[in-house]
Amino acid sequence: MRIGLMVGPERGRYATKVDRLRADAVRAEEAGLSSVWIPQVPDDFDALTAATVVGLATERIEIGTAVVPIQPRHPIALAHQALSTQAVCNGRLALGLGVSHHWIIDEMLGLSYEKPVATMRAYLDVLDAALAGPGMVDVENDSFRVHNPMDVTDITPTPVLLAALGPQMLRLAGERTAGTILWMADERAIGSHIAPEINRAAAGAGRPAPRIVAGIPICLCADDEIDVAVTRANRILAEAEISPNYQALLDRGDARNVGDILAAGSQATIEKRLQSFEDAGVTDVSFRVVPIGDDRDQLIASSKRTRALIAELATSA
């Protein structure tokens, strides 16, 4: 199981944001992690721009977006940006895409959220052709009529992963992409629903076994502090739980909230929890560090301890 770290989701402190993003990625690379994953938050830094910053600061580590919503960007515009970022990253970019949620696409942006699976399928028709390499992109389907030259870079392929939660999107991910990026998925949801669906679809399409990237909050602490860590995770990460997409996914597992997915406690406790994710079919993890403490110094110390454990897990994976 490959070990990665989520970087860049912290809001505010804008004057130092780019420097902190760069520093987090460099530390992850120096620690031996396989990947860093950059979220696209509605009111925060653009994920592909952040990936460019990270690409310039690093040499080896994979850089993924988790995830870019497709509806606000024409697939040719996204291809231009992704391929330009790929050139900077020298082939290390993994493009995570999703259809987001109705409360972002419809209520915030005023765009249609009807038929999200069909929207993604039509979008991939164009994007796949654009990412294939220099040449014409000639695609006509129910949503797009594209006849556009593309000559950004000859670095190929750019792997695409989908935020696939439901059966139809999982089948599309298995048939057409390199895998799926998850959030709010526990071991039972992955083992009984996600892994079987996407693996069956990939096998049926004659594709390699797909990646299953699980987003997992993590906090190294004493076992008697687990409740404190769970409470903090639920306080700082729970806003996405209102989405029907995530609620449906939670219904397929044992977790009722993000705190139930948190890997927290001693090193032995965390390692046991991670083994259960690997046994469920997870190929990659994207850790979201959740520090605990009563003041800034304690929070920083907690974050450092957890990051040191993640580095240890990466070198022993």
Side-chain angles (χ1 to χ4, degrees), residues 7 14 31 40 70 97 157 184 196 256 277 279 283 307:
V7 299
Y14 302 111
Q40 181 67 69
I70 61 169
L97 302 177
M184 217 68 74
R256 301 276 65 86
F277 275 98
D279 292 344
T283 63
R307 288 171 184 264

Side-chain angles (χ1 to χ4, degrees), residues 14-314:
Y14 302 111
T16 61
K17 193 175 191 72
V18 171
D19 289 341
R20 287 184 287 116
L21 180 65
R22 185 186 298 115
D24 284 346
V26 168
R27 281 196 295 267
E29 181 169 81
E30 291 176 346
L33 275 63
S34 296
S35 55
V36 290
W37 298 91
I38 303 168
Q40 181 67 69
V41 181
D43 62 346
D44 204 0
F45 212 81
D46 175 70
L48 278 165
T49 303
T52 303
V53 171
V54 170
L56 287 170
T58 57
E59 297 180 355
R60 171 198 58 80
I61 199 164
E62 180 184 33
I63 304 160
T65 59
V67 297
V68 175
I70 61 169
Q71 293 94 327
R73 311 189 196 200
H74 190 282
I76 290 296
L78 180 61
H80 271 292
Q81 189 179 11
L83 289 170
S84 300
T85 303
Q86 189 65 282
V88 174
C89 296
N90 196 27
R92 294 180 287 130
L93 176 68
L95 183 60
L97 302 177
V99 293
S100 191
H101 308 278
H102 74 92
W103 54 274
I104 294 177
I105 301 304
D106 183 355
E107 297 175 16
M108 288 186 182
L109 300 179
L111 300 173
S112 173
Y113 197 71
E114 295 181 1
K115 300 180 179 179
V117 177
T119 298
M120 179 62 80
R121 183 177 291 109
Y123 199 97
L124 287 175
D125 289 346
V126 181
L127 191 64
D128 288 348
L131 297 179
M136 283 295 298
V137 180
D138 289 308
V139 175
E140 295 194 15
N141 58 31
D142 291 340
S143 300
F144 299 103
R145 182 172 56 84
V146 175
H147 304 283
N148 191 93
M150 185 67 64
D151 191 13
V152 179
T153 178
D154 59 359
I155 295 176
T156 58
T158 294
V160 173
L161 298 98
L162 301 187
L165 308 181
Q168 293 184 66
M169 195 69 79
L170 283 165
R171 287 194 288 272
L172 180 61
E175 292 166 356
R176 300 279 300 270
T177 77
T180 184
I181 304 176
L182 305 172
W183 184 249
M184 217 68 74
D186 72 359
E187 299 94 314
R188 186 162 75 88
I190 293 169
S192 65
H193 165 59
I194 289 164
E197 286 281 4
I198 195 171
N199 284 320
R200 184 163 48 245
R207 296 180 62 88
R211 296 172 68 178
I212 299 175
V213 185
I216 304 175
I218 182 172
C219 178
L220 177 64
C221 59
D223 284 341
D224 61 8
E225 294 177 308
I226 291 176
D227 288 346
V228 174
V230 168
T231 298
R232 180 165 171 80
N234 282 331
R235 182 170 66 81
I236 66 176
L237 299 177
E239 60 186 31
E241 291 174 16
I242 64 173
S243 167
N245 296 347
Y246 286 138
Q247 286 296 323
L249 185 58
L250 288 170
D251 288 344
R252 293 183 180 273
D254 297 315
R256 301 276 65 86
N257 52 49
V258 69
D260 291 338
I261 300 167
L262 175 74
S266 65
Q267 179 169 344
T269 301
I270 289 173
E271 288 177 342
K272 182 178 179 181
R273 185 75 192 272
L274 295 181
Q275 185 61 57
S276 68
F277 275 98
E278 185 171 10
D279 292 344
V282 170
T283 63
D284 303 69
V285 296
S286 170
F287 282 127
R288 170 64 156 91
V289 175
V290 177
I292 58 172
D294 296 327
D295 55 38
R296 184 172 181 272
D297 288 342
Q298 290 182 7
L299 290 170
I300 290 173
S302 173
S303 179
K304 287 181 177 178
R305 288 193 299 270
T306 301
R307 288 171 184 264
L309 172 61
I310 292 171
E312 185 176 338
L313 293 171

